[in-house]
Amino acid sequence: MNRTRTNNRSARPRNGAVAGKNGNRFGSSAPSRSDGRSRNKGHGRRPAAPQGDFALPKTITPALPAAEHFADLDMPAELLAALDAQGVTVPFPIQAATLPNSLAGRDVLGRGRTGSGKTLAFGLALLARTAGRRAESRRPLGLVLVPTRELAQQVTDALTPYARSVRLRLATVVGGMSIGRQANALRGGVEVVVATPGRLKDLIERGDCRLDEVSITVLDEADQMADMGFMPQVTALLDQVRPQGQRMLFSATLDRNVDLLVRRYLSDPVVHSVDPSAGAVTTMEHHVLHVHGDDKHAATTEIAARDGRVIMFLDTKHAVDRLTKHLLKSGVRAAALHGGKSQPQRTRTLTQFKDGHVSVLVATNVAARGIHVDSLDLVVNVDPPTDHKDYLHRGGRTARAGESGSVVTLVTPDQRRAMTRLMAAAGIVPQTTQVRAGAESLRRITGAQAPSGVPVVITAPVAERPQRAATSRGRRRPASANRRRPARRSVSDTAA
């Protein structure tokens, strides 16, 4: 296949809440400005002018035309067969537009809402252009940087069947997991690493990984990495990959925090934007429900008791744990997800939610990106977000891949003015409704119903222990020799 670069990289420069005192027992209680009433009504699909976006670079070299079918693309036959086996035959718009160019080695700057197919847009190009090569110990050939553990796992899960088809090895490198096992995987040789910046930095400092052979680098959700304070680590990592390599940057939002990365590391990129940064999804409805503070916890409980799954977002870990405990006592199968949970706990909770063992996922913003659940039709902001980007990413958990869904935000009187500003910044005109617990309007919009009142307990699945060999040879190591020193964790990995 053609892997000739079509752009010249020799000139690349290398230098470098709406939360209030609402009387809610579950939500956070940071003060905010009060009064003001939203007059916006209707579902509002027309986006407002993007706020905070930088001017997208103009492509000097004309982009190749979009592909109508995956079979039209210059990819290995094994990859095409794997796509067909997965039932993936027609590319999403962002895939159709970017893959012809990324497969030819062009840098790519892609913006598309969550659920638009960004993972395969960069993943297929990465795998196709790496196929046939073999990585040396500790020296991967491709790198995908993501902001959170959940997104890293989702990217790995999405790409694994395709990587297997072309005999490429993947490794996930994130905080909260055994750094020793990750180091062992890198020593054994992996072609593609999917990583959070903090843990990858730790492994490099330990001498367990080098990036000088990385010829294809992907930044997924770069704006969140900037918002989380990862920008210095990201730029330090990008400075270690091959200078003439290919770079792809994908995100649901592109604001001025990402401008540095685009100007410094992308050379004559193909630019493709599926939706404006503040664009609303046509299959998604937005509802702002005005509630009184003393009625908010009852309304929240009734929404959680609906038939079907729902993600509920709150601001703090304490608020998440408190609401989850209340819902379980009320008879709702709920589970908590936040940064205070270990990675195995977070993985188990997500699995239980995806397979239906848990119907309500109560979460902080750690679940706002990198979580895909089929047929999830409702997201509820129990605590309204403080930033319009957080709103868009929270809402992006529903109405994915052409499906329909609703985003509901519970707003107390003192939060209304700030919520109106946030919606304007997001380019959304929501349907605003005054509701109360037990009201028909609440049931109609969210499917709310009274909980059973019978407490439930969510049990963890029993993990199967690996069987020991029938016989052992040689002397057993003393117990002290089996003790392992705890892995050093970076501040950024704790956040990730």
Side-chain angles (χ1 to χ4, degrees):
M1 48 189 294
N2 178 18
R3 299 186 182 178
T4 303
R5 295 296 307 245
T6 58
N7 58 321
N8 179 9
R9 198 177 290 277
S10 60
R12 176 195 302 282
R14 305 302 303 165
N15 301 324
V18 186
K21 294 181 180 179
N22 49 34
N24 172 24
R25 297 188 305 184
F26 311 126
S28 303
S29 56
S32 65
R33 298 183 63 178
S34 60
D35 72 58
R37 181 180 298 270
S38 171
R39 293 184 175 86
N40 296 331
K41 301 204 180 267
H43 295 299
R45 309 285 193 235
R46 184 171 60 87
Q51 299 190 11
D53 282 20
F54 62 87
L56 297 177
K58 293 183 179 180
T59 301
I60 300 173
T61 306
L64 296 174
E68 295 185 4
H69 303 282
F70 283 114
D72 300 332
L73 295 168
D74 186 15
M75 291 195 296
E78 296 86 351
L79 265 183
L80 295 173
L83 286 164
D84 188 63
Q86 296 288 325
V88 181
T89 57
V90 179
F92 285 173
I94 196 168
Q95 299 164 359
T98 60
L99 276 170
N101 300 280
S102 56
L103 286 167
R106 294 284 301 275
D107 283 4
V108 173
L109 175 61
R111 177 171 65 193
R113 58 178 174 79
T114 53
S116 62
K118 296 190 300 296
T119 302
L120 285 188
F122 64 73
L124 291 175
L126 170 61
L127 298 177
R129 301 194 71 238
T130 309
R133 301 176 61 194
R134 203 69 174 170
E136 299 177 11
S137 174
R138 300 183 177 91
R139 303 176 81 177
L141 307 175
L143 172 64
V144 181
L145 284 177
V146 298
T148 67
R149 307 172 198 171
E150 281 71 26
L151 183 53
Q153 192 59 56
Q154 178 170 303
V155 169
T156 301
D157 292 344
L159 297 186
T160 293
Y162 306 107
R164 188 180 295 121
S165 73
V166 288
R167 294 180 173 83
L168 294 178
R169 297 164 293 178
L170 299 180
T172 307
V173 170
V174 297
M177 303 292 283
S178 168
I179 194 171
R181 292 181 182 177
Q182 295 168 2
N184 287 338
L186 290 167
R187 285 191 210 104
V190 294
E191 283 69 51
V192 178
V193 170
V194 182
T196 52
R199 175 51 61 89
L200 182 58
K201 175 177 177 289
D202 291 342
L203 285 162
I204 291 173
E205 291 176 347
R206 286 165 46 115
D208 292 318
C209 184
R210 294 178 59 183
L211 302 181
D212 56 332
E213 289 297 319
V214 171
S215 58
I216 304 175
T217 307
V218 178
L219 272 68
D220 192 17
E221 304 294 6
D223 61 328
Q224 188 184 15
M225 284 192 273
D227 292 344
M228 295 173 69
F230 289 159
M231 191 66 79
Q233 294 179 359
V234 170
T235 56
L237 293 171
L238 290 177
D239 286 340
Q240 297 178 51
V241 305
R242 295 181 65 176
Q244 305 304 318
Q246 180 183 18
R247 315 281 169 77
M248 292 182 276
L249 192 155
F250 284 78
S251 186
T253 57
L254 295 175
D255 57 23
R256 296 188 184 279
N257 291 332
V258 185
D259 192 19
L260 166 66
L261 296 175
V262 174
R263 287 187 288 105
R264 182 171 173 179
Y265 296 104
L266 268 62
S267 176
D268 187 22
V270 172
V271 180
H272 183 71
S273 180
V274 173
D275 299 301
S277 177
V281 183
T282 57
T283 56
M284 184 187 299
E285 292 187 355
H286 301 268
H287 293 270
V288 169
L289 303 186
H290 288 173
V291 296
H292 292 292
D294 56 1
D295 193 44
K296 184 175 180 179
H297 71 275
T300 300
T301 304
E302 290 183 3
I303 295 173
R306 70 192 290 266
D307 294 327
R309 289 174 297 185
V310 57
I311 296 182
M312 292 186 154
F313 285 102
L314 292 94
D315 286 339
T316 68
K317 294 181 286 188
H318 178 65
V320 165
D321 288 336
R322 186 167 49 186
L323 175 56
T324 303
K325 184 178 180 180
H326 166 79
L327 292 177
L328 290 170
K329 287 184 178 180
S330 302
V332 178
R333 303 186 66 82
L337 183 71
H338 54 65
K341 303 285 187 181
S342 68
Q343 189 57 38
Q345 287 176 317
R346 289 158 69 165
T347 301
R348 183 177 68 241
T349 296
L350 283 174
T351 299
Q352 291 177 325
F353 184 60
K354 290 179 179 180
D355 65 20
H357 186 65
V358 166
S359 59
V360 180
L361 184 65
V362 187
T364 58
N365 273 347
V366 74
R369 306 197 197 196
I371 293 178
H372 173 77
V373 180
D374 291 331
S375 303
L376 178 67
D377 62 355
L378 182 63
V379 168
V380 177
N381 294 311
V382 179
D383 285 340
T386 59
D387 182 83
H388 74 279
K389 291 193 298 181
D390 288 338
Y391 179 91
L392 293 171
H393 287 295
R394 287 181 179 187
R397 300 313 97 204
T398 187
R400 297 172 68 84
E403 296 181 346
S404 60
S406 297
V407 182
V408 168
T409 305
L410 303 181
V411 179
T412 53
D414 57 314
Q415 298 172 326
R416 294 179 184 178
R417 177 177 295 177
M419 191 65 199
T420 299
R421 291 196 296 267
L422 183 146
M423 285 296 191
I428 295 168
V429 181
Q431 180 174 343
T432 303
T433 309
Q434 182 73 45
V435 300
R436 56 181 175 79
E440 193 281 331
S441 57
L442 185 64
R443 182 200 62 77
R444 171 177 51 81
I445 295 170
T446 67
Q449 61 184 358
S452 67
V454 179
V456 295
V457 176
I458 305 299
T459 57
V462 179
E464 295 184 3
R465 294 184 178 181
Q467 295 183 354
R468 289 185 177 180
T471 60
S472 61
R473 300 181 183 273
R475 290 187 299 175
R476 299 179 62 183
R477 297 196 322 179
S480 60
N482 290 325
R483 295 190 190 125
R484 303 176 64 180
R485 289 176 16 181
R488 180 169 57 88
R489 299 176 66 188
S490 69
V491 175
S492 55
D493 272 321
T494 304

